[in-house]
Amino acid sequence: MEIREAGLGDLSGIVELHSRARVAYYGAGGLPTEEILTPELAREQREGWAAAITSARKQVRVAIVDGVLAGVLAMGPPHSSDLDPRTTAQLYQIHVDPGLWGRGVGGALHALFVRHLADEGLVLGVLEVWERNTRARAFYTRHGWRPDGTSRPGPARTPYVGMQLTHP
């Protein structure tokens, strides 16, 4: 597996992988595909990923397995103004191609985030995960994340819940 910085040449692959992952985890949570994949959302995803890739403040990394895009990680300063970017980073997204779940791609991308915390001298990582995404919640819990009591509205009247990871 190779993990490298994402470039705009990766944009279409990232959007396609993100869409496949969304169908898998939102679908498992009971959302119909037509609510997950809409033209408006596809446009927003493409614009959002392009902005993240070209951002001076955010970092996007891709995992390549056997020459194929297998996963993507986006991280950077916290979205919340209540959190200090001198001590905290946000794991915005990890997505792995559902056909490669369980093969260590997500773990390798997560380890890169933890390394980022250490390299930058940050003591706290934060993220949000859809409450019905039990697979992701279990993944993050296995890696030491704990609910932080925050939430915001999400699809199907199901919130995104906040989690945090304290870095020693």
Side-chain angles (χ1 to χ4, degrees), residues 100-165:
L100 296 173
W101 284 354
R103 295 195 42 207
V105 176
L109 291 168
H110 182 268
L112 186 62
F113 176 77
V114 173
R115 220 169 17 255
H116 171 72
L117 293 176
D119 291 349
E120 298 298 320
L122 304 171
V123 296
L124 184 66
V126 295
L127 62 78
E128 293 181 328
V129 61
W130 191 49
E131 189 175 64
R132 289 188 199 173
N133 189 344
T134 56
R135 183 180 186 88
R137 289 178 46 224
F139 171 87
Y140 291 122
T141 298
R142 280 193 311 276
H143 285 87
W145 293 80
R146 298 293 174 254
D148 65 9
T150 64
S151 67
R152 69 176 173 89
R157 294 187 295 259
T158 303
Y160 292 100
V161 294
M163 299 183 83
Q164 65 181 21
L165 175 71

Side-chain angles (χ1 to χ4, degrees), residues 73-110:
L73 160 71
M75 60 185 169
H79 287 308
S80 172
S81 60
D82 293 338
L83 298 170
D84 186 348
R86 295 171 298 182
T87 60
T88 306
Q90 185 156 347
L91 192 163
Y92 304 128
Q93 301 182 63
I94 290 180
H95 297 291
V96 175
D97 189 302
L100 296 173
W101 284 354
R103 295 195 42 207
V105 176
L109 291 168
H110 182 268

